[in-house]
Amino acid sequence: MTNAVERIVRRVSSTRTFARIAPHFVPALDRAVHRLTGGRRLLSGQLLPSLVLTARGARSGQLRRTPLACMREGDPASAWVVVGSNYGRPGHPAWTGNLLAHPDAEISWKGRDIPVRAQLLRGAERDAAWTAVVRFWPPYARYQARVEREIRLFRLVPRDPGVAGAAGASGQVPGH
């Protein structure tokens, strides 16, 4: 998977400049592409597996849609791991607080809407998942090095166990 373009993207996405500007345009572009393709594609999905998380706002109760990179997990790929890196900025992204308050959510994965339950990973389970996500996308390690907070990891598990396998294993990380 490592080619010249990916190496450049990894390097650029690890910078503080990218962390300052990306939150202002990457999610908006992803939402637009997602809408235009009927939920089948995300712009960022050209490089990393991606989904759109729909979660209830922690305080407002309003539904919030957030495009996120994800890592497939399980055998067969039965869950998704999402990383609350916030591009390596100091605060936790709002969507992580939303999942803490309202763990039942929905994802749009390759044109399918899948009800999920979010599980905040902690301890040894988080450590194992962190190792996997850093191997999957090395810039996460630089994001963590820049911030004092522990970056939150969530496992998104289908509320209907038969749904994940039917959603396809494309984007799965071998051995995870």
Side-chain angles (χ1 to χ4, degrees):
M1 183 169 148
T2 303
N3 59 36
V5 172
E6 185 176 331
R7 284 192 304 273
I8 291 167
V9 170
R10 284 180 177 186
R11 190 172 306 131
V12 168
S13 70
S14 296
T15 66
R16 290 179 191 274
T17 301
F18 185 80
R20 273 195 313 276
I21 62 173
H24 302 290
F25 69 88
V26 172
L29 288 173
D30 267 341
R31 281 187 203 95
V33 170
H34 188 257
R35 192 172 37 254
L36 290 170
T37 64
R40 291 182 307 279
R41 300 206 189 287
L42 290 166
L43 185 61
S44 59
Q46 301 308 304
L47 187 61
L48 288 170
S50 300
L51 55 80
V52 174
L53 172 71
T54 302
R56 196 160 296 284
R59 290 188 301 250
S60 71
Q62 302 263 341
L63 292 179
R64 307 288 184 199
R65 294 174 55 80
T66 308
L68 299 169
C70 64
M71 181 184 80
R72 291 303 308 265
E73 180 186 65
D75 187 29
S78 58
W80 295 260
V81 173
V82 290
V83 182
S85 66
N86 205 14
Y87 299 95
R89 297 182 306 163
H92 291 290
W95 65 265
T96 67
N98 295 345
L99 288 180
L100 290 173
H102 304 285
D104 285 344
E106 186 174 272
I107 62 169
S108 175
W109 171 254
K110 299 182 184 253
R112 297 192 57 194
D113 294 331
I114 303 169
V116 295
R117 170 150 300 165
Q119 304 166 346
L120 177 64
L121 300 180
R122 298 177 185 214
E125 191 174 31
R126 186 209 178 272
D127 294 344
W130 180 253
T131 298
V133 298
V134 168
R135 188 171 41 249
F136 179 66
W137 188 247
Y140 287 136
R142 286 195 179 153
Y143 293 169
Q144 183 63 76
R146 279 204 305 258
V147 298
E148 293 180 21
R149 67 183 172 88
E150 181 177 74
I151 290 176
R152 293 174 177 159
L153 300 181
F154 287 86
R155 178 175 292 124
L156 305 177
V157 179
R159 286 184 267 161
D160 176 359
V163 172
S170 179
Q172 177 180 353
V173 177
H176 300 287

